[in-house]
Amino acid sequence: MVTRKSDAQIALMRRAGRVVAEMHAASIDLIRPGITTADIDRLCRTVLERRSARSNFLGYHGFPAVACISVNDEVVHGIPGPRVLRDGDIVSIDCGAIIEGWHADAAVTVAVGAISSADQVLLDVTKAALDASIEQCVAGRTLGDIGAASMAIVKTAGFDYLREYTGHGIGTAMHEPPDVPNYGKAGRGMRLQVGHVIAIEPMVTAGRADVMTLDDDWTVVTADGSRAAHFEHTVAITDDGPEILTASS
Ligand code: MG
Ligand code: MG
């Protein structure tokens, strides 16, 4: 069942969202050639502790970290560890926080040092796809409108997008109904109402979107080795249109 959140519940999700935004801002400040993906995870843990927030990633189906960190051809669900980031890498940080039982979830893909113009376009297009979907988060529009807006931008740019993984409702659990695909037909699917809160998260590949999971049972990589980007926000449908709960204050 898709639930509608009260203003008070959305206020708690906004607090959780601000923590996630702080985790991302701190990570972006830290990221440079020579650091490890474990360094980013450690920093995210300190932000959670400072804000007395819990992690919704740590222990999720046994996940061992507070952030999924995915580099280059890794699309999502990368496990932080000793990997050293190098000049020209792109790195996705997907993380979340819980405040008083209410969840937020967001992702960003960041350049390490100087990246190629092709990689910069991949990042810009994926971010634009997310922004276009967020614009559709208005009561009366549909999940199809959200997916169609994202898909149009990705296709026009000549990139591809994952079908196997989608955005999702979010609230007292990180993953609630409905699924929020990054594709669709305008006007189709569930109609959005004030109080719905969803996480929208386009996953875009420079090559084909065929993916496989590595032997660690987590890391999703492109089958053709092409690079991928992932941007995500937790968004509330309000009387005034979309509110990005994972934006910095
Ligand atoms: Mg998510
Ligand atoms: Mg996420």
Side-chain angles (χ1 to χ4, degrees):
M1 197 183 91
V2 180
T3 59
R4 295 169 66 183
K5 279 74 179 175
S6 69
D7 289 348
Q9 291 165 341
I10 289 173
L12 290 171
M13 296 184 76
R14 187 182 298 117
R15 280 178 53 199
R18 295 264 160 84
V19 176
V20 178
E22 190 175 335
M23 292 161 84
H24 280 149
S27 298
I28 289 166
D29 276 350
L30 175 73
I31 286 171
R32 61 180 62 89
I35 70 154
T36 68
T37 55
D39 291 334
I40 301 171
D41 184 65
R42 211 170 296 122
L43 181 62
C44 288
R45 285 178 198 245
T46 65
V47 174
L48 285 164
E49 281 165 19
R50 187 191 312 150
R51 299 301 176 197
S52 302
R54 291 202 303 121
S55 173
N56 37 15
F57 280 55
L58 184 66
Y60 183 88
H61 293 282
F63 191 75
V66 303
C68 292
I69 302 181
S70 309
V71 183
N72 296 341
D73 62 319
E74 299 171 354
V75 189
V76 287
H77 304 165
I79 300 174
R83 181 172 183 164
V84 175
L85 296 179
R86 300 172 58 168
D87 191 48
D89 285 344
I90 56 173
V91 58
S92 302
I93 301 128
D94 184 3
C95 59
I98 309 171
I99 293 280
E100 294 182 32
W102 290 88
H103 290 241
D105 178 17
V108 63
T109 304
V110 178
V112 182
I115 62 171
S116 72
S117 55
D119 285 344
Q120 188 61 54
V121 172
L122 177 65
L123 267 50
D124 292 346
V125 166
T126 310
K127 174 70 163 53
L130 173 59
D131 291 344
S133 286
I134 292 171
E135 272 181 36
Q136 298 300 317
C137 290
V138 174
R141 305 238 176 109
T142 68
L143 291 179
D145 292 329
I146 288 173
S150 174
M151 186 177 74
I153 285 178
V154 173
K155 276 187 162 175
T156 300
F159 295 139
D160 206 353
Y161 52 90
L162 268 62
R163 282 77 164 166
E164 297 92 328
Y165 300 90
T166 68
H168 47 90
I170 181 167
T172 53
M174 180 159 61
H175 295 129
E176 294 184 354
D179 288 344
V180 181
N182 299 300
Y183 55 88
K185 285 202 167 76
R188 299 279 184 86
M190 190 195 84
R191 206 163 281 284
L192 299 169
Q193 298 177 40
V194 170
H196 286 159
V197 183
I198 55 176
I200 305 172
E201 48 181 314
M203 291 151 259
V204 176
T205 56
R208 292 170 56 99
D210 300 314
V211 292
M212 53 194 191
T213 303
L214 297 184
D215 286 340
D216 63 15
D217 285 335
W218 281 104
T219 313
V220 176
V221 300
T222 57
D224 65 7
S226 65
R227 290 190 167 190
H230 179 209
F231 282 82
E232 177 181 24
H233 272 307
T234 295
V235 182
I237 288 82
T238 78
D239 285 317
D240 303 321
E243 181 187 348
I244 300 173
L245 300 180
T246 39
S248 48
S249 52

